[in-house]
Amino acid sequence: MPSGQRSGPALLLVLLVALAGCTSRSSDPGAIAAPSTSIAPLGSPTVGGPAVTFSGNRPQVAGHPAASSVLDVTGTGLQPSCQPVTERSDPNLVSILWHCGSQVTAATVTLSGRPVELGDILKGDYRSYLSSVATTQFAYENLAHAATTDFSTWYLTPAALAVVFPDGIVSYPIPSLSAYLSDPSSL
């Protein structure tokens, strides 16, 4: 068998191994569906955390006015048509995602009202790891030239870190981030 014919299945196997545990969701509803390794959380995004309600697109975190205030700043700055969703609410933090047409905005705050940055939860060379996984995922979806270096929009679900890239959302299961977690017990 010529060597070119052997490399196709080997490359497919390498891609499948690299994609194990990672999925993406395109921001285009008509795009290719996510692979069957989807890690969408089962059940509610609330894991022992406070209830989150919405007044329009402004979140209210029950019993935590400081968290509500910080999230309210983000919600107030968005178009009234933006649809908020609670992605995670636990005893430590709340993560909200707003769908604004084809645009997505997200905010994660501690219950004491401190905004959470990626550098607060991840350490080391996590940016290279996130970018590499996203590049592989988008190549799998025939988006080989997708930009994968902007980590400004992200949110947490009970099971994963989700990063919003221009061409879609890539989810990183929390266990796949173990080498980069600053404090594994906080997630």
Side-chain angles (χ1 to χ4, degrees):
M1 174 183 285
S3 64
Q5 290 178 337
R6 280 182 267 149
S7 67
L11 179 60
L12 179 59
L13 179 60
V14 168
L15 279 173
L16 289 175
V17 169
L19 293 172
C22 298
T23 64
S24 73
R25 298 185 302 198
S26 173
S27 57
D28 176 7
I32 299 171
S36 61
T37 56
S38 176
I39 53 95
L42 300 174
S44 168
T46 301
V47 183
V52 179
T53 58
F54 298 90
S55 175
N57 59 16
R58 299 167 61 183
Q60 297 298 308
V61 182
H64 299 278
S68 296
S69 178
V70 171
L71 291 168
D72 186 53
V73 169
T74 302
T76 301
L78 299 174
Q79 304 253 344
S81 62
C82 293
Q83 299 296 310
V85 176
T86 303
E87 290 292 341
R88 181 170 175 164
S89 176
D90 66 32
N92 300 314
L93 57 85
V94 172
S95 199
I96 306 292
L97 177 70
W98 288 267
H99 296 274
C100 304
S102 63
Q103 299 297 312
V104 177
T105 298
T108 300
V109 300
T110 64
L111 295 182
S112 64
R114 186 180 59 79
V116 178
E117 302 295 329
L118 270 180
D120 295 335
I121 58 174
L122 299 175
K123 64 180 180 180
D125 196 21
Y126 70 88
R127 289 179 178 272
S128 292
Y129 173 74
L130 297 177
S131 184
S132 174
V133 171
T135 298
T136 302
Q137 179 65 34
F138 287 131
Y140 172 80
E141 295 180 2
N142 295 321
L143 297 169
H145 300 291
T148 60
T149 57
D150 180 1
F151 306 105
S152 60
T153 305
W154 61 274
Y155 57 93
L156 290 168
T157 70
L161 164 70
V163 179
V164 180
F165 295 104
D167 290 303
I169 300 173
V170 177
S171 294
Y172 304 83
I174 300 297
S176 75
L177 300 169
S178 63
Y180 303 99
L181 292 175
S182 295
D183 179 7
S185 65
S186 68
L187 295 180

